[in-house]
Amino acid sequence: MGTPPLRVLIVDDEPLARARLRTLLQADPTVVVAGEAADGEAALAACRSQPPDLVLLDIAMPGMDGLQTARALAECQPRPAVVFCTAYDAHALSAFEAEALDYLVKPVRAERLAAALARVRTFLAGRAAPAADAPGARRHLTARLRGSLRLIPIEEVHYLQAEEKYVVVHHARGEDLIEEPLKALEAEFAGRFVRIHRNCLVARAQLAELRRTADGHVQAVLRDVPRPLDVSRRCLGPLRELLQPR
């Protein structure tokens, strides 16, 4: 049996915008348009009745806007992937804080949409196979440097830390900035990295110990990083289990 099609819900208050996205999606035989909605409330109802894999979500909508809708979708089980489609690029930071996998500016180009769909498939594959890197996962991250590209081997990455709309990649040769959501990286490389904080993923192989500070906070000590990193209370349980001797 082949891979099931990607089920996509289109959410936009403008009929022409929905029609354009529908046309682009229907050109891809691996995609099924699971439905359309003109506002956030209708989108949530559609997701509850027939959960999609992906929601293509406008931001500026009457009533519940796209950012509010994305936060509500985060409570759905299973949680759909979210990609924002908007006429403005001013909401990019807020979009990634809402854990969107990508951010498309209207009019959406076919090649840009295809790249977003590929990222969504990687995210879904990573969620389905948490014990190892997702099938087809990259072996490098790519940082842009003054018009050139730098490839960072995944095995050289010590930890990934979100800062505003960027992720700082701390690796064996220094650090670089990439423009990818931390949530998407966590899904794609689920077998290699573990979350220690809302804004930080650490390479599992780098974890040496957990240490409690004098003021009661817990920090993760990494093998090749001189300073320890803060651990959130929410992440503490899974980290302790990970460090238990087998």
Side-chain angles (χ1 to χ4, degrees):
M1 295 179 64
T3 304
L6 189 70
R7 292 173 45 81
V8 182
L9 175 68
I10 302 170
V11 184
D12 198 304
D13 62 314
E14 298 177 5
L16 288 178
R18 295 199 305 271
R20 175 172 172 76
L21 284 173
R22 183 172 63 249
T23 298
L24 291 173
L25 291 169
Q26 287 173 340
D28 186 337
T30 68
V31 171
V32 169
V33 177
E36 298 181 20
D39 57 59
E41 292 288 355
L44 292 175
C47 287
R48 293 185 186 113
S49 63
Q50 290 187 313
D53 300 309
L54 165 65
V55 179
L56 291 178
L57 184 58
D58 187 21
I59 291 182
M61 297 187 295
M64 179 184 286
D65 68 18
L67 295 172
Q68 293 170 318
T69 303
R71 295 185 186 104
L73 288 172
E75 304 302 319
C76 292
Q77 293 296 332
R79 177 180 181 173
V82 171
V83 170
F84 284 112
C85 302
T86 177
Y88 309 99
D89 60 6
H91 297 291
L93 176 56
S94 297
F96 288 130
E97 286 176 346
E99 298 188 345
L101 291 186
D102 212 334
Y103 184 95
L104 307 179
V105 177
K106 299 176 184 177
V108 176
R109 294 179 290 115
E111 60 271 23
R112 188 66 185 84
L113 177 60
L117 294 178
R119 179 172 286 179
V120 169
R121 290 187 179 95
T122 299
F123 168 78
L124 295 173
R127 187 167 66 182
D133 288 350
R138 293 169 290 167
R139 296 189 177 185
H140 299 82
L141 298 178
T142 305
R144 298 184 182 276
L145 300 167
R146 305 178 197 88
S148 63
L149 299 178
R150 172 182 289 169
L151 294 180
I152 308 164
I154 291 296
E155 61 268 19
E156 293 186 6
V157 177
H158 298 153
Y159 66 101
L160 302 159
Q161 195 156 35
E163 291 188 7
E164 297 185 347
K165 69 175 182 177
Y166 298 101
V167 166
V168 183
V169 183
H170 297 263
H171 54 88
R173 292 171 289 158
E175 58 185 62
D176 288 287
L177 298 178
I178 60 174
E179 294 186 71
E180 297 190 52
L182 199 65
K183 187 73 174 178
L185 293 167
E186 179 182 25
E188 182 174 359
F189 301 105
R192 190 173 294 273
F193 296 100
V194 62
R195 187 177 289 270
I196 68 165
H197 198 276
R198 175 179 54 85
N199 67 347
C200 188
L201 302 176
V202 166
R204 293 170 183 262
Q206 281 289 317
L207 274 176
E209 63 174 300
L210 298 176
R211 180 181 299 165
R212 191 172 294 276
T213 64
D215 58 2
H217 292 95
V218 175
Q219 295 181 320
V221 178
L222 276 57
R223 303 184 192 281
D224 298 316
V225 177
R227 67 180 183 88
L229 303 174
D230 290 337
V231 173
S232 71
R233 189 172 301 175
R234 176 182 293 183
C235 299
L236 187 54
L239 286 173
R240 280 178 172 155
E241 185 173 336
L242 184 64
L243 288 170
Q244 287 292 326
R246 303 297 180 185

